[in-house]
Amino acid sequence: MSTQLCSVTIGNPSMSKIFNATVTDGQWSTPLLDTISSQNIGILTPNAVYNWAQAEYAAGLCAFRIQRSDTLSVSMRGWGVKAGQNCYKSSVMPPTRINPTDILTVYALPVDATANQSNALAWITTTKGTELFKAVDIPDSTDTEMKSAINEMELGDSFFNSMMQSISVQVEDGATLVDVTIKDAQGGIQWVVQGNVRGASPASTSNHYNLDVTGMGLSIGKGYRIFVQTITG
């Protein structure tokens, strides 16, 4: 499998630290370590409160999270950007206190090696929690299902009988997110929204995401599935 270097620079008004690792694409990484001390974030800065994080990857796309290693609870999550495209104002996050058992991990995917195909990730939040979904090898202009990045479960299996509250989607470098569609068990469209480009493009609104929707109230039923449609650059 392919690998790439990922890093997270995290800080507050009085200090900042850089954590990095060479990670395997397509799986949650081992903990990123401080570039000076080679320690986890929780061991290095317990009880510190951070209010910004700048995550970067080499090429493709990437999600990151701050997670307790003992309980697996996640206190912060977000998107990385291609190295060199970070924006401080876009990297501000709610103040997050670091637990002594916290670790920083990333989930990266490469640029799809096949022409006219792309990869995508989505943070989906419902009343049951937040989970990372993925779709790989998406043919251009073709609805392709996203499934849980952890266990390949469909939307309705992961979040049955919950209320969808938000979704944020990142597509690989240079690709356009045409739309996101949620269908019920009979294939009927329950929700659809248009996407955009991100990064180095005049039409982009963010280097971090192709779509970011909050304030939703969509009830997720059994058999519900989520699809993305993309176009490569």
Side-chain angles (χ1 to χ4, degrees), residues 11-217:
N12 57 37
S14 61
M15 71 169 184
S16 59
K17 302 289 183 181
I18 302 174
F19 298 82
N20 67 11
T22 297
V23 307
T24 300
D25 292 323
Q27 63 187 46
W28 280 109
S29 70
T30 56
L32 276 62
L33 302 179
D34 176 64
T35 55
I36 297 175
S37 68
S38 297
Q39 291 183 324
N40 291 331
I41 189 171
I43 295 175
L44 183 63
T45 60
N47 298 313
V49 178
Y50 293 115
N51 63 355
W52 59 269
Q54 295 176 310
E56 291 189 337
Y57 58 84
L61 62 164
C62 175
F64 79 91
R65 67 186 180 187
I66 299 175
Q67 182 182 42
R68 287 187 59 165
S69 59
D70 51 354
T71 66
L72 303 182
S73 62
V74 176
S75 57
M76 185 60 200
R77 55 181 61 83
W79 296 120
V81 300
K82 188 173 183 178
Q85 292 188 353
N86 247 305
C87 168
Y88 171 79
K89 288 186 177 181
S90 299
S91 302
V92 174
M93 66 184 190
T96 302
R97 183 176 296 277
I98 301 301
N99 185 280
T101 63
D102 276 349
I103 56 175
L104 262 172
T105 61
V106 300
Y107 190 104
L109 288 173
V111 173
D112 199 295
T114 303
N116 303 317
Q117 289 188 177
S118 56
N119 299 322
L121 294 170
W123 284 117
I124 297 177
T125 299
T126 77
T127 49
K128 284 188 175 180
T130 302
E131 193 169 332
L132 187 69
F133 276 60
K134 70 172 182 178
V136 298
D137 303 331
I138 308 166
D140 280 357
S141 304
T142 303
D143 278 348
T144 302
E145 186 174 9
M146 303 193 85
K147 295 183 178 181
S148 168
I150 298 175
N151 53 28
E152 295 290 328
M153 292 178 68
E154 296 178 349
L155 180 68
D157 293 329
S158 292
F159 292 127
F160 171 65
N161 200 28
S162 68
M163 190 77 71
M164 188 166 171
Q165 299 171 319
S166 67
I167 180 172
S168 186
V169 180
Q170 186 180 89
V171 182
E172 71 178 44
D173 303 325
T176 299
L177 175 65
V178 178
D179 58 35
V180 174
T181 304
I182 296 177
K183 299 180 181 180
D184 60 25
Q186 289 72 44
I189 295 176
Q190 296 299 312
W191 189 81
V192 63
V193 64
Q194 307 299 313
N196 203 334
V197 295
R198 68 177 178 92
S201 168
S204 65
T205 59
S206 171
N207 287 357
H208 291 82
Y209 54 79
N210 299 74
L211 174 72
D212 191 62
V213 181
T214 59
M216 295 177 62

